Amino acid sequence: MYVGVDFGTTRTVVSFADRGNYPVVSFFDRLGDSLDYFPSVAALRPDETWDFGTAAMDDRPGVRFHSFKRALAAPDVSNDTEIESESVRVRLMDVLVGFLSSLRTALAEESTIADLLAGDEIESAVVAVPAHATSAQRVMTLEAFQRAGFPVVAMMNEPSAAGFEYTHRQGRTVTSNRTQIVVFDLGGGTFDASLVEVRQHAHEVLDSAGINRLGGDDFDEILKDMCLEAAGIDEGTLSPDAEQALREQARQAKEALTPQTRKITLDVDESIVQILVDDFYQAAEPLVERSIAVVSKLLDDDTDGALSGLAGIYVAGGASSLPIVPRMLRARFGRRVHRAPYPAASTAIGLAIAADPSSGYTITDQLSRGFGVFREWDGGRRVVFDPIVSRHEVLPAAGDIRIERRYRPVHNVGWFRFAEHSDLDRDGQPVGDIAPLGLVLFPFDPALRDVEDLAQVPLRRADDFPVVREVYTVDPNGIVHVDITDVEDGYTRTYWLGQSGERAKAAITQPA
């Protein structure tokens, strides 16, 4: 069986290939009710056991972790990152693996494809990450899926997958004169947009942009705060459970909104509060405006004829079901705005299409985030940024991108300050969304190879250190690692950028 898994901030959706169709999997809770998603929720029980998904949503005692995927977007995220709820701290990676393992079990035992999986195990899975995801987020997502037992064959950017679903459903809108689409993907925690060139089943991503922390959770928070203000209640007086219950109420009320809805009614601390929908929309407009500004920049729509080749703007992602989102998009871009029939499932369906070898769909994607290293220059008198990989670098369908630097160092210890960025200014310096990937120290002086803490070694200048080679590799999933090698004797250290120091230190090749 071929499946696509869209691991979302609030909901995880799974689709599978079925003879040219790509239905969404439903999951059953303990009462036998079905959901077309697996809730992205974890619960740590008083006896130190964990529940995930539908089992974590019941009213039994426990500390709940909601929207934990958002922690992956932190600039300094790594395998050592911890998340906190109700003063309880746990490792993010442990929660990710536990959640995805539970998802894998639920598919086999408590889903609409459980019987099918009994005779046809999952052969390949394609999973998604935000287009704007850092290398660390990509490698942690991939590692968590693999540790949970999913046979991952590819990782796709979320809007790229939704683009497959658009072509599958609405390919007639793509003509010889209008061959481009913009995928507007507003999920529970992130926003991404991609400009895609479509030639029948062949897709080429021309550019991508996004906002790592903009999604349905932010709209829920606005509505929750408006209700507290209307009730005259200080948020600090609510218990964590009461606050989360109100946030969940806000989410359900938001998702139930239709263009005809005029009032939102919520129960706040045993008081009934009503919010005018127009007031909520007015408060939410700045969030939507931020996403529209990204699309405008992506299209460069201030240029004459910028929209002439555009077949449509495809509105996908669970949070895009809020009526104000397509309304504001249409006010800005006109009738070319198309709303996905199943916005929360578009990405999962596109992933299943990608996983299906008989679909014939192909993608040529871009890295979407540039990468480089801050280096000491002029004998250490200043620091400059060396851009290694452009954010417009085309990702290979197979194999890796390989970039090499070779030089003779003048210091005994190399300090590498790696970073990803959303853009460069005219001087080649990173601007916009910058994500540091950590500090790497390398012993240019062979006598320092056994020193555990190179940061404590005083810098010493000399001109007789061995020649060093840096090799940067970007795989088809956009994951970056670097090999730093003493060319003279072959001593190498390999670093998976964005990962913990322990993993990097373990990847050392001693000279023969």
Side-chain angles (χ1 to χ4, degrees):
M1 181 178 292
Y2 307 107
V3 301
V5 184
D6 178 20
F7 168 37
T9 302
T10 56
R11 298 174 173 180
T12 294
V13 183
V14 180
S15 180
F16 68 102
D18 181 18
R19 295 163 295 181
N21 297 306
Y22 303 94
V24 173
V25 177
S26 292
F27 297 88
F28 303 107
D29 62 18
R30 292 180 177 178
L31 298 177
D33 296 326
S34 66
L35 297 170
D36 55 4
Y37 60 90
F38 195 68
S40 301
V41 181
L44 178 60
R45 303 301 183 184
D47 62 358
E48 299 298 316
T49 61
W50 284 91
D51 282 320
F52 301 92
T54 54
M57 298 290 287
D58 60 26
D59 57 2
R60 290 181 296 154
V63 178
R64 286 172 180 79
F65 294 82
H66 296 263
S67 301
F68 50 83
K69 179 189 173 183
R70 273 199 147 182
L72 282 169
D76 57 348
V77 69
S78 75
N79 281 355
D80 301 322
T81 295
E82 293 184 338
I83 55 176
E84 182 176 350
S85 178
E86 299 181 38
S87 300
V88 175
R89 297 185 65 83
V90 295
R91 278 208 336 151
L92 173 61
M93 179 56 81
D94 294 339
V95 176
L96 294 173
V97 174
F99 172 77
L100 293 173
S101 297
S102 182
L103 172 66
R104 184 78 174 83
T105 300
L107 285 168
E109 300 177 0
E110 302 165 350
S111 79
T112 49
I113 62 170
D115 291 341
L116 294 176
L117 287 175
D120 183 16
E121 293 186 354
I122 296 176
E123 180 178 340
S124 62
V126 177
V127 303
V129 290
H132 217 50
T134 65
S135 179
Q137 181 171 355
R138 292 172 187 275
V139 73
M140 287 183 65
T141 301
L142 181 59
E143 181 177 342
F145 269 100
Q146 291 174 332
R147 286 172 57 181
F150 282 93
V152 179
V153 297
M155 181 182 290
M156 283 186 75
N157 291 334
E158 291 167 359
S160 299
F164 275 15
E165 194 260 351
Y166 174 89
T167 306
H168 179 69
R169 291 188 185 276
Q170 304 196 48
R172 66 186 183 280
T173 65
V174 180
T175 67
S176 59
N177 295 323
R178 293 182 175 177
T179 60
Q180 295 181 358
I181 62 172
V182 168
V183 180
F184 178 101
D185 183 8
L186 184 62
T190 59
F191 167 70
D192 281 311
S194 289
L195 178 62
V196 185
E197 180 86 16
V198 180
R199 302 287 182 181
Q200 295 184 336
H201 288 175
H203 293 62
E204 180 183 358
V205 177
L206 304 178
D207 202 357
S208 293
I211 304 172
N212 274 343
R213 295 189 68 84
L214 174 62
D217 281 4
D218 301 294
F219 294 94
D220 301 342
E221 201 70 18
I222 286 174
L223 184 54
K224 182 205 74 173
D225 291 344
M226 292 179 71
C227 290
L228 288 173
E229 183 178 357
I233 297 174
D234 183 355
E235 182 177 351
T237 64
L238 295 179
S239 68
D241 283 346
E243 183 182 353
Q244 183 55 43
L246 179 56
R247 188 178 288 112
E248 180 62 19
Q249 269 197 82
R251 182 187 66 78
Q252 293 177 4
K254 177 201 69 181
E255 293 178 353
L257 290 175
T258 69
Q260 293 75 37
T261 308
R262 295 293 176 262
K263 293 181 180 180
I264 303 170
T265 303
L266 283 87
D267 182 357
V268 184
D269 197 24
E270 300 183 355
S271 298
I272 301 300
V273 172
Q274 287 191 332
I275 302 295
L276 294 177
V277 171
D278 286 346
D279 291 343
F280 171 53
Y281 285 169
Q282 185 176 0
E285 275 186 8
L287 296 182
V288 185
E289 288 287 0
R290 290 178 63 196
S291 65
I292 291 176
V294 171
V295 175
S296 295
K297 184 177 180 181
L298 198 65
L299 286 170
D300 192 17
D301 63 354
D302 291 332
T303 304
D304 291 341
L307 303 181
S308 61
L310 190 65
I313 296 176
Y314 196 46
V315 185
S320 69
S321 61
L322 187 66
I324 190 178
V325 175
R327 183 184 305 170
M328 290 181 65
L329 280 167
R330 288 192 180 100
R332 180 69 179 83
F333 299 107
R335 296 193 307 173
R336 289 190 177 91
V337 176
H338 307 284
R339 182 179 169 188
Y342 307 104
S346 296
T347 295
I349 294 170
L351 294 170
I353 294 171
D356 181 6
S358 66
S359 71
Y361 280 67
T362 62
I363 184 76
T364 302
D365 215 334
Q366 292 187 351
L367 192 58
S368 82
R369 293 180 66 89
F371 161 78
V373 58
F374 289 96
R375 301 183 187 275
E376 293 184 351
W377 209 252
D378 289 344
R381 287 184 289 273
R382 62 191 179 102
V383 174
V384 300
F385 186 74
D386 178 12
I388 305 294
V389 183
S390 165
R391 74 181 187 91
H392 298 294
E393 188 76 40
V394 175
L395 290 171
D400 300 320
I401 300 170
R402 187 179 185 276
I403 297 169
E404 181 176 320
R405 297 282 193 273
R406 185 185 291 249
Y407 55 90
R408 185 179 295 277
V410 297
H411 290 98
N412 55 341
V413 177
W415 289 63
F416 298 85
R417 302 168 181 86
F418 295 108
E420 290 180 319
H421 58 81
S422 56
D423 214 342
L424 296 175
D425 63 17
R426 293 181 178 179
D427 298 323
Q429 298 304 298
V431 293
D433 183 10
I434 302 172
L437 295 179
L439 173 66
V440 166
L441 302 182
F442 184 86
F444 290 145
D445 184 349
L448 300 176
R449 289 174 181 169
D450 294 329
V451 176
E452 291 189 6
D453 189 0
L454 289 171
Q456 301 302 317
V457 176
L459 288 182
R460 178 176 66 85
R461 288 180 56 85
D463 57 6
D464 59 349
F465 295 123
V467 172
V468 167
R469 180 180 66 242
E470 302 167 13
V471 176
Y472 297 91
T473 304
V474 185
D475 71 11
N477 298 317
I479 296 171
V480 182
H481 74 264
V482 57
D483 299 301
I484 305 178
T485 302
D486 180 330
V487 174
E488 294 186 8
D489 65 10
Y491 176 85
T492 300
R493 289 190 180 187
T494 299
Y495 302 89
W496 282 264
L497 299 181
Q499 294 300 287
S500 65
E502 286 71 19
R503 179 173 180 179
K505 289 177 182 177
I508 297 177
T509 301
Q510 296 288 351

